[in-house]
Amino acid sequence: MDATDRRQRLVLLIAILASFVSFLDGTVVTVALPAIQRDLGGGLVTQQWVVDAYLITLGSLILVAGSLSDVFGRVVVLRAGLIGFGAASLAIAAAPDPLFLVIARGVQGIAGALLVPSSLALITSTFRGPAQSKAIGTWTGATTAAMLVGPVLGGVFVDLVSWRLVFLINVLPIAVTLWLLAVLRQRDVREPGATVDWAGAVLCTAGLAGTVFALIEQERLGWASPAIWAPLAGGILSLCGFIVRQHLARAPMMPLGLFRVRNFWAGNLATWFVYGALGLNGLALGVYLQQGAGLPATLAGLASLPSTVIMIVFSSKIGTWAGTAGPRLFMTIGPLVMAIGTALLLTVREDFDYWTQVLPSVVLFGVGLTVTVAPLTAAVLGAIDPARSGIASAVNNAVARVAGLIMVALLGVIAGGALDLSGFHRTALVTAALLAVGGVISFAGIRNSAPRAV
């Protein structure tokens, strides 16, 4: 029994560290954006691309990772993702211009796509029953904390050293995770006859890239420009082709049959609104606190620290409670509390004061996020048979990343082209609305005792 416990703890640590790397780099860049702009040039459009280049490849290829794990094995895919992520991080740190940086971020997203589904699949294949809910809660708390602690670490590096070193933060956890994988010595399981849906991957990537390009660049070129509506039309057609491909493919990367399961489709729909709001809020707050309120990068990063502390302290307990009481109440209350917290950002004024205008929002946001994320993950994965946990986690993570990707691409439209005070307020209103919708969907769609799909 002791050997089993030690192995479970090791698997959980590996899953947390591997996912931590991906989540950390998705958010650590937020506070570095103003410094990148000063060093390499570009305005809000360049800042959007630095974020979305990573999310395009991450969101579209995270689905392929589930199939790759079946073909080559979870440990092999996890190891390849870690090595690729480290190499891309080194390239980003040496970027001489915005184009090189954006391309390297896209490559980093490819590697990041290999990490999260394989990590969650390791957990769901190792833990069972209430222990699985608790493990998912611990994993969720740690990885979501990475999203929140990223701006803090990034701010310190930007102010004290350079924005370039922000992207090297993950080198140590990557090295430690590779060593732990060697210590684990887990035998890989490969599915006989498993294939990879490369056509689906191409359609999904092209669809997201074309759509995001149009949404970001329309501010500069205008909706009437062929350089905008042509990629937008091509992106939409490619996404439609992707859905058709998933319906017809023998081994689809996103099995549409999963969405016949109530908690799976409802959980993913709630994920879309909640994580879309997370992506929008994280970027807007990180940039405005520096460019609008005039805070240094370190203080802008520290602004989210209360949420981080709340996540770390309470996520595991929330996961345990949700495993006993069911996820519906948590998934309903959590987003509504986050919506109230985000709405408090409307109190931000020209005479900026963090303690009265931002801190109450951050605290409420952290409470709501802690109540939401572990039950949401458990509800989605718990609706699907453990044998299909890899693809279920890949779909859910893809939904989360694509939601953030689209909302970041829409930031220019929402804010009116600039994150001044009025643009920041508009963004806060949209974010609060997204979160409120996520809570309503959870209340209407999630069931505590929904049957599990095979």
Side-chain angles (χ1 to χ4, degrees), residues 233-258:
I236 293 174
L237 288 174
S238 294
L239 290 174
C240 293
F242 169 73
I243 298 299
V244 173
R245 169 68 184 177
Q246 299 316 290
H247 179 69
L248 300 176
R250 183 178 63 85
M253 56 191 284
M254 187 179 74
L256 299 181
L258 293 176

Side-chain angles (χ1 to χ4, degrees), residues 48-315:
Q48 288 174 279
W49 271 120
V50 171
V51 175
D52 270 358
Y54 177 79
L55 292 177
I56 285 173
T57 51
L58 179 70
S60 56
L61 298 180
I62 203 169
L63 291 168
V64 179
S67 301
L68 289 174
S69 295
D70 291 338
V71 174
F72 300 106
R74 292 164 183 166
V75 175
V76 169
V77 170
L78 197 60
R79 187 177 289 117
L82 289 166
I83 294 172
F85 205 94
S89 298
L90 292 173
I92 292 169
D97 54 57
L99 179 60
F100 186 96
L101 175 59
V102 168
I103 293 173
R105 284 281 288 170
V107 174
Q108 191 181 47
I110 294 174
L114 303 179
L115 299 178
V116 177
S118 299
S119 300
L120 263 178
L122 280 176
I123 291 177
T124 54
S125 64
T126 303
F127 295 87
R128 291 288 184 271
Q132 186 183 96
S133 294
K134 185 176 182 179
I136 290 175
T138 303
W139 176 89
T140 302
T143 52
T144 307
M147 297 172 65
L148 300 173
V149 80
V152 179
L153 293 176
V156 172
F157 274 78
V158 168
D159 282 342
L160 299 182
V161 192
S162 167
W163 67 264
R164 297 180 184 276
L165 293 186
V166 166
F167 295 97
L168 299 183
I169 293 174
N170 54 48
V171 170
L172 180 58
I174 286 175
V176 171
T177 309
L178 288 170
W179 174 70
L180 290 176
L181 279 173
V183 171
L184 181 62
R185 295 182 180 179
Q186 176 156 316
R187 184 178 179 181
D188 251 337
V189 178
R190 296 174 175 83
E191 296 294 332
T195 59
V196 178
D197 181 18
W198 293 114
V202 170
L203 286 169
C204 186
T205 305
L208 291 176
T211 304
V212 167
F213 177 87
L215 293 176
I216 292 178
E217 296 292 336
Q218 59 79 28
E219 183 67 28
R220 183 172 60 90
L221 300 175
W223 289 110
S225 171
I228 295 300
W229 59 257
L232 179 61
I236 293 174
L237 288 174
S238 294
L239 290 174
C240 293
F242 169 73
I243 298 299
V244 173
R245 169 68 184 177
Q246 299 316 290
H247 179 69
L248 300 176
R250 183 178 63 85
M253 56 191 284
M254 187 179 74
L256 299 181
L258 293 176
F259 290 94
R260 288 196 290 265
V261 182
R262 185 184 185 98
N263 273 10
F264 189 81
W265 68 255
N268 275 289
L269 188 57
T271 295
W272 176 273
F273 285 95
V274 170
Y275 278 85
L278 279 177
L280 187 60
N281 183 72
L283 178 58
L285 186 61
V287 172
Y288 179 79
L289 288 179
Q290 294 180 73
Q291 295 184 343
L295 296 183
T298 301
L299 292 182
L302 285 171
S304 62
L305 186 59
S307 290
T308 305
V309 174
I310 293 169
M311 286 292 304
I312 293 173
V313 173
F314 295 107
S315 281

